[in-house]
């Protein structure tokens, strides 16, 4: 609390939380929300208390519990309480509703499995009558969508509606922000948004809303790559509005304006560049936040022309800046600006190097390594600059004490790394190599960080090699020996370094130099050989160039090189092995380390060993002290730093002078160009008018003084500078990346806390003590059912929505309550081949409730449902039947609770002959036609007729055409423009022995009667002998059952339907049936598209719906040898026809 | 989302801290760092600030307002509208003003729980719950009333009344209809 730890009071807090008085409870929850977190162990004790409070009659108790929970919800709490919170989402009080909605976000984060079950209700809350609840729902969905926008695209139409209707600015801002996240995924959405957004921009008076609108418009414009007619107009509008913001006296608006401007900059730099004046002005603002934002924008402002000017301005800022963060920011920005797109804007690299050198004088910057990297990069890429760079670097090395001595030498001494490397690598350009060598060998260098010293050591040798060569060429043997002597004298200081790398390199090189000394004493020329050590050129290598290297054939990187260590090695053996190894290692190491001339070193090592050995009586001083005594350090002359020394290093040229030089150079260039132009013009003068007297200087005219050497193939083709690696696997929001459009599976339910498992309620023995529970249980179940039903409805809606989204996006006018249903691909168009869209839809509409029915269908040629799953399914069902059988033995009173009636699924079947829904239409020697008629819920009064054509002959069938005589009631949907008498072509040809399916849509006006349509299939049969015209007549029989669609229904809804009383009734009875009841039901389900609502013993209620929305309810009872079917339907004719059809079906059994 | 809400005075003394994400051992450091960032700034500069390192990431912004002796700092991520949050701070302060009647720093010290309760009506779990000041005040008042009715001695009369009300007296007709009864008042001599 207030930053202090009060975890000791955690338990007491829980006690207060459980107080009965609201006053105390509130304080308890407050304390909990302040101090509890996931690590608090007593938090699990709160679950039941919170549940109690959530269901408290007082809304404030509930509210307080929700508020508290939102702060300390853990995965466990989220899982246990998710269902309780779900129910609170439809609480009567909006105060509770909005809190429950908001807390769901936290629950989702902790328990991602809850997202899918809860989402439909959350979506429902978007249209809550209370604005507070609505805003909360918008809030939650926006948060969710921000992380995984693609899952929420289907909500776009809903949000669009909200956006155009809502007046609450807070909600509007959220929605507009959400759209900003969605548009990159769906450019069409952007097109739709632009207009209302621009309207809002023009109309709103709220700055916050205006700003968000502009922001989203920018996002839209970014997502639209091209093809907007008034594209530039919108950009102009945005930029113009932003300019107003930036010019505003309110600093906040200025800041936001700049922030938004930088977003435009990325895609439309041109339109921002016109406001350069304004942005440069902001650079001088006294507010750091604003200056930082302006800096961001500068990146896009620079050109070859103004780069120097801008950087000069920034350099003055660097001098003035007081905070290190701002200065560091400036530094990185300068480097960013200069180095962007491969130094595109730099015309004079001497200037750039001097800028970099000037930057090294910044105290306490964290970005020394950045400067160093730039120096190295430039020196390597720009060959012409090397001479200059080397001279600058040697000056830097010379004044290294200034860089390294500053108290905060955390970053800037990195520059020395680059300086040493450049001087060594390009030592041939050095004017006074000897001087530089001495500078690099100064004792002070040993105070630098290890990795810099290592580079020093390495480059000292390079330098040494080049000096040696110079001297030998000049014939100065004396001089060469003097240099060698210098090396021998100074290198030992590195040998004593604490850094292993430095030590290793130094001792290696020391030996080398000593060897050279010996050779020199014998007057052997060595320079050639020494410089051969460093022959060759170094080239820049891109960071991911490794990818370009192909893995050699036969090399398996995953294979073990050695046999993996066996685990058989017992634990107690291991220490001995380690000990053994160590002993072996030591003698092995020694010869490599110890050199015959380094006795002193060896001695020291021994001393060290002794010092570390606790059993050795020490006579020498402690190792640390001795360290100071080492000769190298003793000899360090303590340099007095003269504080009055000016910060500008004498001899270093200032960058400013380059600005002048550059101007002169440009001027010269221009003059030359002008001259040339004049000459040309003089030639043409007579013929043409002068259209531009002023020579316009464009960027391209300025040629850079030096050439940048960019090796184009540095990067492997398949590696992008920043591909992959940017996804954080630990991101908690990734768990919420869940597809919300998929229909809910039955298993996806929020866990409901129960005292007993459901199995116990099924087993009849334990039923007795549950009497009091019985009264509660049905209610609960009912609720569950209702929920489920609602979910399902939602799901269906969502499916529709998903289709609608495309439709919604494709139309230009704002969505008036969709006048006509979206044209599903099947209208008249013939969808070819087995599984096509309309069919899928049908399947979807049938949903899971279809259950076992698939079994029969599954044997159909083109449908393959996964067998193993089915088996499992069946097993489950069998178990259920067993339970049921047991329940029969129970006294009738308890039957209700015990016999879990089969619900929402077709009954199981033992063995049913393979059946096909396809019925024979017509056949002759050439072709066999079978057809299946399916209704679809989406299109009322339309049915899809799938006709399978099978070629039985040995000739190719082509030019097939289907002509159907329409009746008054039923019409075939034909392609536009064709008359009623034209045939509809079949979109495929049939080679011998092949079958294929074509689908046709028929519009039916009245579905209460069965009817038949006459039709003819005409085709050309072509074989080796020739082609013949053939015809086949058929009759399409639209039975009433074919207008029905399998629709799941729940017992409570079913009961309501029956009670409603507006259904007419009729019944039939069929005798002589020997088939089992289950198979019977399956037959009805399959042939007449019914689904079982509830089944108890030999009695079952069934439900189906016609494509025009008639409800059909059946009660099927099985007697000894007979079956009676009572039906209720909203249309009596339909019912009687249906029953007639059913009678025919049953009679076959 | 709002990551944290901090209130501290001109000297960096925290008056209220509410973290909507678990910062277990860094809360004090965060408050200190935020104070250092915010207190350096002039009065007439913008109210947005980037660079709170401890509170996490470049995605976050500090949005603050300075009232007399107190700084109100909201740390938010990019999903919040900057100007919206500024308005929210204003609503928060105005609500405090309404609930405390001329709020001052001392109110925040002595009634820190009340401040938390008010805040809880506005922001829940890092998300904005309510922006309508009247709605917030209504809820706070209702809760205060409830609290009063429970309180010790001061609440005794109120409790007594409610106890009487709740007593189970089914015999007593709840609403007596006097319409039918016409009482004949005899002519009494006046007491004049």
């Amino acid at each position: 609390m207030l930053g202090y730890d009060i975890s000791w009071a955690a338990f007491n807090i829980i006690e207060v939380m459980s107080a009965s008085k609201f006053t105390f409870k509130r304080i308890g929850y407050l304390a909990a929300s302040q101090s509890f977190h996931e690590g608090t162990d007593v938090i699990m004790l709160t679950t039941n208390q919170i549940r109690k409070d959530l269901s408290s009659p007082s809304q404030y108790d509930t509210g307080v519990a929700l508020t508290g929970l939102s702060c300390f919800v853990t995965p466990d709490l989220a899982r246990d309480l998710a269902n309780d919170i779900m129910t609170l989402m439809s609480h009567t009080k909006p105060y509770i509703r909005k809190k429950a909605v908001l807390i769901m976000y936290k629950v989702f984060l902790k328990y991602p499995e809850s997202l899918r079950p809860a989402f439909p209700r959350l979506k429902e809350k978007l249209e809550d009558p209370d604005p507070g609840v609505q805003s909360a729902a918008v809030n939650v969905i926006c948060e969710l969508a921000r992380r995984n926008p693609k899952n929420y695209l289907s909500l776009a139409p809903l949000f669009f509606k909200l956006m155009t209707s809502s007046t609450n600015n807070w909600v509007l801002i959220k929605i507009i922000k959400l759209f900003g996240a969605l548009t990159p995924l769906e450019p069409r959405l952007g097109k739709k948004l632009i207009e209302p957004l621009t309207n809002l921009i023009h109309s709103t008076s709220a700055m916050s809303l205006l700003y968000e609108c502009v922001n989203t418009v920018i996002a839209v414009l970014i997502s639209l790559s091209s093809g907007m007619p008034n594209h530039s107009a919108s950009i102009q509008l945005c930029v113009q509005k932003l300019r107003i913001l930036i010019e505003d006296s309110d600093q906040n608006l200025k800041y936001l304006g700049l922030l938004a401007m930088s977003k435009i900059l990325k895609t439309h730099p041109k339109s921002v560049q016109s406001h350069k004046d304004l942005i440069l002005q902001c650079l001088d603002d006294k507010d750091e936040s604003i200056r930082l934002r302006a800096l961001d924008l500068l990146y896009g402002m620079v050109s070859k022309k103004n780069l120097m000017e801008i950087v000069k301005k920034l350099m003055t800022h660097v001098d003035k800046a007081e905070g290190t963060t701002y200065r560091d920011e400036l530094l990185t920005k300068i480097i960013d600006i200069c180095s962007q797109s491969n130094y595109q804007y730099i015309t004079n690299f001497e200037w750039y190097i001097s800028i970099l050198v000037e930057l090294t004088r910044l105290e306490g910057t964290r970005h020394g390594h950045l400067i160093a990297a730039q120096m190295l990069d430039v020196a390597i890429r720009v060959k012409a600059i090397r001479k200059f760079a080397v001279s600058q670097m040697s000056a830097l090395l010379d004044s290294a004490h200034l860089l390294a001595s500053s108290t905060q030498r955390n970053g800037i001494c990195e520059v020395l790394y680059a300086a040493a490397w450049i001087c060594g690598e390009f030592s041939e350009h050095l004017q006074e190599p000897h001087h530089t060598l001495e500078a690099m060998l100064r004792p002070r260098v040993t105070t630098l960080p290890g990795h810099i010293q290592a580079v020093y050591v390495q480059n000292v040798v390079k330098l040494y090699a080049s000096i040696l060569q110079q001297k030998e060429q000049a014939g100065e043997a004396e001089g060469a020996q003097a240099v060698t002597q210098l090396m021998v004298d100074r290198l030992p200081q590195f040998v004593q370094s604490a850094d292993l790398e430095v030590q290793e390199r130094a001792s290696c090189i020391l030996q080398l130099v000593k060897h050279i000394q010996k050779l020199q004493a014998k007057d052997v020329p060595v320079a050639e050989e020494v410089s051969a050590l460093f022959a060759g050129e170094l080239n820049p290598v891109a960071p991911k160039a490794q990818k370009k290297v192909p893995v050699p054939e036969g090399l398996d990187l995953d294979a073990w090189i050695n046999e993996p260590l066996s685990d058989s090695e017992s634990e107690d053996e291991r220490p001995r092995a380690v000990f053994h190894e160590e002993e072996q290692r030591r003698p092995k190491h020694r010869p490599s380390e110890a050199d015959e001339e380094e006795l002193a070193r060896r001695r020291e090592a021994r001393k060290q060993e002794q010092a570390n050995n606790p059993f050795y009586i020490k006579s020498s001083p402690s190792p640390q002290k001795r360290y100071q005594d080492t000769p190298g350090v003793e000899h360090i002359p303590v340099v007095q730093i003269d504080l009055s020394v000016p910060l500008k290093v004498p001899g270093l040229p200032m960058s400013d002078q380059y600005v002048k030089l550059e101007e002169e150079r440009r001027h010269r260039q221009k003059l030359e160009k002008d001259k040339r132009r004049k000459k040309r013009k003089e030639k043409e003068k007579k013929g043409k008018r002068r259209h531009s007297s002023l020579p316009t200087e464009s960027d391209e005219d300025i040629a850079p003084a030096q050439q940048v050497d960019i090796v184009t193939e540095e990067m492997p083709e398949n590696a992008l500078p920043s591909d992959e690696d940017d996804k954080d696997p630990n991101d908690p929001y990734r768990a919420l990346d869940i597809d919300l459009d998929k229909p809910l599976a039955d298993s996806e339910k929020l866990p409901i806390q129960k005292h007993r498992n459901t199995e116990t309620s099924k087993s009849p023995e334990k039923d007795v003590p549950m009497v009091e529970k019985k009264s509660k249980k049905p209610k609960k179940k009912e609720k569950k059912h209702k929920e489920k039903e609602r979910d399902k409805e939602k799901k269906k809606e969502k499916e529709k929505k998903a289709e609608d989204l495309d439709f919604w996006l494709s139309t230009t006018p704002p969505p008036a309550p969709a006048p006509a249903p979206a044209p599903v691909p099947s209208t008249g168009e013939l969808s070819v081949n087995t599984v096509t869209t309309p069919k899928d839809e049908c399947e979807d509409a049938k949903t899971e409730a279809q259950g076992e029915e698939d079994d029969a269908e599954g044997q159909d040629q083109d449908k393959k449902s996964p067998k193993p799953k089915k088996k499992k399914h069946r097993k489950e069902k069998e178990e259920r039947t067993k339970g049921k059988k047991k329940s029969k033995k129970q006294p009738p009173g308890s039957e209700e609770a015990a016999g879990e009636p089969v619900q929402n699924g077709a009954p199981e079947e033992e063995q049913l002959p393979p059946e096909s829904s396809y019925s024979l239409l017509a056949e002759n020697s050439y072709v066999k036609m079978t057809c299946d008629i399916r209704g679809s819920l989406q299109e009322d009064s339309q049915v899809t007729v799938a006709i399978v054509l099978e070629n039985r002959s040995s000739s190719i069938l082509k030019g097939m055409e289907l002509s159907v005589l329409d009746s008054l009631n039923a019409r075939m949907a034909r392609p536009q423009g064709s008359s009623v008498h034209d045939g509809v072509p079949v979109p495929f040809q049939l080679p011998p022995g092949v079958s294929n399916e074509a689908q046709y849509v028929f519009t039916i006006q009245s579905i209460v009667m069965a009817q038949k349509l006459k039709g003819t299939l005409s085709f050309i049969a072509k074989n080796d002998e020739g082609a013949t015209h053939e015809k086949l007549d058929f009759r399409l029989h639209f039975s009433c059952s074919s207008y029905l669609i399998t629709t799941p229904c729940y017992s409570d809804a079913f009961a309501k339907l029956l009670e409603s009383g507006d259904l007419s009734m009729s019944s039939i009875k069929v005798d002589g049936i020997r088939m089992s009841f289950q198979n019977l039901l399956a037959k009805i389900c399959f042939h007449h598209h019914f689904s079982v609502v509830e089944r108890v013993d030999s009695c079952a209620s069934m439900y189906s719906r016609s494509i025009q929305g008639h409800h059909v309810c059946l009660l099927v009872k099985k007697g000894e040898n007979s079956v009676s079917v009572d039906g209720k339907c909203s249309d009596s004719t339909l019912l009687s026809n249906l029953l007639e059809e059913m009678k025919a079906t049953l009679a076959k059994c | 989302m709002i990551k944290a809400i901090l209130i501290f005075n001109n000297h960096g003394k925290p008056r209220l801290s509410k973290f909507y994400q678990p910062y277990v051992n860094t809360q004090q450091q965060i408050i200190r760092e935020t104070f250092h960032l915010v207190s350096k700034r002039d009065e007439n500069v913008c109210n947005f600030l980037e660079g709170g390192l401890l509170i996490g990431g470049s995605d976050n912004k500090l949005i603050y307002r300075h009232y007399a002796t107190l700084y109100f700092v909201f740390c938010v991520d990019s999903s919040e509208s900057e100007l919206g949050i500024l308005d929210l701070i204003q609503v928060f302060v105005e609500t405090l003003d309404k609930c405390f009647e001329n709020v001052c720093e001392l109110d925040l010290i002595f009634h820190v729980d009340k401040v938390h309760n008010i805040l809880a009506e506005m922001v829940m779990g890092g998300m904005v719950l309510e922006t309508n000041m009247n709605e917030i005040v209504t809820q706070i008042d209702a809760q205060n009333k409830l609290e009063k009715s429970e309180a010790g001695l001061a609440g005794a009369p109120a409790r007594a009344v409610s106890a009487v009300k709740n007593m189970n007296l089914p015999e007593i007709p709840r609403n007596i209809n006097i319409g039918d009864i016409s009482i004949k008042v005899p002519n009494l001599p006046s007491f004049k």
Side-chain angles (χ1 to χ4, degrees), chain A residues 3-4 21-23 26 33-34 60 95 98-99 106 139 143 146 170 177 252 255 287 289 293, chain B residues 1 17-18 41 45-48 50 61 77-79 117 121 125 128 130 139 142-143 147 150:
Chain A
Y4 293 92
K21 277 188 187 173
F22 173 69
T23 321
R26 183 158 77 165
S33 73
Q34 287 293 88
Y60 292 111
Y95 178 75
K98 69 183 177 193
K99 287 196 168 194
K106 292 275 173 173
N139 233 332
E143 276 299 330
R146 199 165 67 93
W170 190 265
K177 262 187 177 285
N252 293 332
Y255 171 88
D287 189 348
S289 299
R293 290 281 74 82
Chain B
M1 234 181 67
S17 70
K18 184 91 200 167
R41 295 171 65 84
V45 295
C46 75
N47 299 97
F48 314 120
E50 288 151 74
K61 268 197 189 97
D77 67 10
S78 63
S79 72
N117 294 335
E121 293 300 323
V128 179
E130 184 60 68
Q139 298 298 348
Q143 288 180 37
E147 200 175 340
E150 284 177 348

Side-chain angles (χ1 to χ4, degrees), chain B residues 134-159:
Chain B
N134 293 331
E135 176 69 24
I136 299 168
V137 174
T138 327
Q139 298 298 348
I140 291 290
D141 284 347
Q143 288 180 37
N144 287 345
K145 218 173 270 169
L146 185 63
E147 200 175 340
K148 253 180 210 153
S149 72
E150 284 177 348
L153 271 178
R159 259 187 312 188

Side-chain angles (χ1 to χ4, degrees), chain B residues 92-128:
Chain B
F92 182 35
V93 174
E94 278 179 34
T95 316
L96 286 179
D97 202 50
K98 254 196 185 165
C99 294
F100 287 114
E101 281 153 20
N102 280 329
V103 68
C104 68
E105 196 182 336
L106 282 178
D107 288 321
L108 266 67
I109 298 171
F110 288 110
H111 302 291
V112 78
D113 56 330
K114 280 189 184 166
V115 181
H116 269 293
N117 294 335
I118 293 169
L119 189 60
E121 293 300 323
M122 289 179 65
V123 180
M124 192 177 119
M127 278 179 293
V128 179

Side-chain angles (χ1 to χ4, degrees), chain A residues 1-4 20-24 26-27 30 33-34 37-38 58-61 63-64 66-67 70-71 95 98-100 102-103 105-106 109-110 132 135-136 139-140 143 146-147 168 170 173-174 177 207-209 211-212 250-253 255-256 259 285-290 292-293 325 733, chain B residues 1-3 14-22 24 27-28 31 40-42 44-50 59 61 65 77-88 112-114 116-117 120-121 123-131 135 138-140 142-144 146-148 150-152 159:
Chain A
M1 200 168 276
L2 290 176
Y4 293 92
S20 58
K21 277 188 187 173
F22 173 69
T23 321
F24 301 147
R26 183 158 77 165
I27 288 172
L30 175 59
S33 73
Q34 287 293 88
H37 50 87
E38 277 193 30
S58 158
Q59 63 165 330
Y60 292 111
D61 280 352
V64 146
L66 283 173
T67 311
S70 74
C71 289
Y95 178 75
K98 69 183 177 193
K99 287 196 168 194
L102 266 194
I103 203 177
Y105 177 64
K106 292 275 173 173
L109 273 187
K110 299 289 178 192
S135 136
N139 233 332
V140 171
E143 276 299 330
R146 199 165 67 93
R147 307 293 179 170
N168 181 349
W170 190 265
I173 288 174
K174 281 278 169 193
K177 262 187 177 285
M207 273 301 176
S208 46
L209 187 57
Y211 170 67
E212 292 305 337
D250 186 349
Q251 297 279 339
N252 293 332
L253 297 182
Y255 171 88
L256 293 176
L259 195 65
D285 201 283
K286 58 184 180 306
D287 189 348
E288 196 178 294
S289 299
I290 287 178
L292 281 175
R293 290 281 74 82
T325 36
Y733 304 104
Chain B
M1 234 181 67
I2 300 171
K3 302 280 161 109
R15 293 301 174 216
L16 175 128
S17 70
K18 184 91 200 167
F19 291 91
Y20 292 106
Q21 275 190 349
V24 177
Q27 295 192 358
Q28 285 192 346
I31 295 174
K40 268 191 306 198
R41 295 171 65 84
D42 289 336
N44 48 0
V45 295
C46 75
N47 299 97
F48 314 120
L49 196 62
E50 288 151 74
D59 195 31
K61 268 197 189 97
R65 265 179 191 271
D77 67 10
S78 63
S79 72
E80 299 293 340
S81 151
E82 290 88 347
L83 293 172
I85 294 291
L86 269 186
D87 287 347
L88 189 71
V112 78
D113 56 330
K114 280 189 184 166
H116 269 293
N117 294 335
E121 293 300 323
V123 180
M124 192 177 119
M127 278 179 293
V128 179
L129 181 67
E130 184 60 68
T131 50
E135 176 69 24
T138 327
Q139 298 298 348
I140 291 290
Q143 288 180 37
N144 287 345
L146 185 63
E147 200 175 340
K148 253 180 210 153
E150 284 177 348
R159 259 187 312 188

Side-chain angles (χ1 to χ4, degrees), chain A residues 503-741:
Chain A
Q503 212 181 79
E504 190 194 357
R505 288 192 194 192
S507 47
C508 172
I509 285 162
L510 187 63
Q511 290 316 307
L512 184 74
V513 175
K514 279 180 179 164
H515 186 65
I516 293 169
Q517 202 175 25
K518 274 185 208 161
L519 290 175
Q520 276 180 332
K522 292 178 201 159
D523 267 342
V524 182
V526 285
E528 281 300 316
E529 281 153 49
V530 176
S531 45
L533 284 176
F534 306 106
E537 176 107 349
L538 289 173
N539 281 321
V541 176
K544 288 189 179 170
Q546 179 73 37
K547 275 192 184 164
K548 218 178 176 182
V549 181
V551 177
E553 236 173 88
L555 173 64
D556 183 6
L557 289 174
D558 296 327
W560 284 86
I561 298 173
N562 296 320
E563 282 294 300
L565 285 173
S566 62
D567 294 333
S568 61
E569 231 179 327
S570 70
E571 291 267 318
D572 43 4
E573 259 177 57
R574 214 167 277 165
R576 232 173 70 205
V578 169
F579 183 64
H580 207 64
E581 238 174 40
E582 261 178 353
E583 282 215 318
Q584 277 177 340
R585 208 187 288 147
R586 234 170 261 151
K588 224 191 278 167
H589 263 261
R590 240 172 227 160
S592 68
E593 264 178 33
D595 296 300
E596 58 275 23
E597 285 169 59
E598 250 203 290
L599 281 172
R601 208 186 127 56
R602 208 197 261 180
R603 203 177 301 133
E604 192 164 80
R606 195 166 57 235
K607 269 186 199 162
Q608 195 93 11
E609 206 177 304
Q610 285 166 357
N612 288 338
N613 189 345
F615 302 110
Y616 194 86
I617 301 158
K618 286 160 220 157
S619 57
S620 54
S622 74
Q624 282 96 340
K625 222 176 179 182
R626 198 157 30 80
Y627 227 90
Q628 286 172 347
D629 292 343
T630 50
V633 186
E634 247 179 357
H635 292 306
I636 297 174
V638 181
V639 180
Q640 283 295 323
I641 304 160
D642 192 357
L643 287 176
S644 64
V645 167
L647 262 176
K648 278 168 196 157
V649 185
L652 286 184
M654 287 304 294
S655 57
D656 290 0
Q657 71 193 57
Y658 285 100
V659 180
K660 264 181 221 155
L661 280 175
E662 177 67 15
E663 262 160 27
E664 277 166 29
R665 192 177 72 86
R666 272 182 208 175
H667 191 64
R668 271 202 310 278
Q669 253 180 16
K670 206 162 67 179
L671 281 181
E672 272 171 38
K673 221 171 264 172
D674 279 358
K675 236 183 256 170
R676 255 178 280 151
R677 200 176 292 159
K678 253 180 209 161
K679 269 182 204 163
R680 215 183 309 143
K681 261 185 196 142
E682 270 161 19
K683 281 179 199 163
E684 300 170 352
K685 213 174 183 177
K686 284 171 190 172
K688 278 183 183 174
R689 260 192 305 166
R690 290 162 79 190
H691 38 91
S692 66
S693 55
L694 287 167
T696 47
E697 191 187 12
S698 70
D699 266 5
E700 285 74 313
D701 288 344
I702 308 166
Q706 291 92 2
Q707 211 55 51
V708 191
D709 187 17
I710 302 292
V711 187
T712 41
E713 285 181 9
E714 265 170 54
M715 281 294 265
E717 305 79 50
N718 50 355
L720 293 169
S722 66
D723 55 7
E724 78 219 27
D725 318 332
D726 45 359
K727 276 186 186 162
D728 178 13
N730 296 327
D731 185 9
Y733 304 104
R734 272 184 80 183
L736 284 180
D737 190 1
I738 296 165
D739 184 10
L740 294 164
D741 292 335

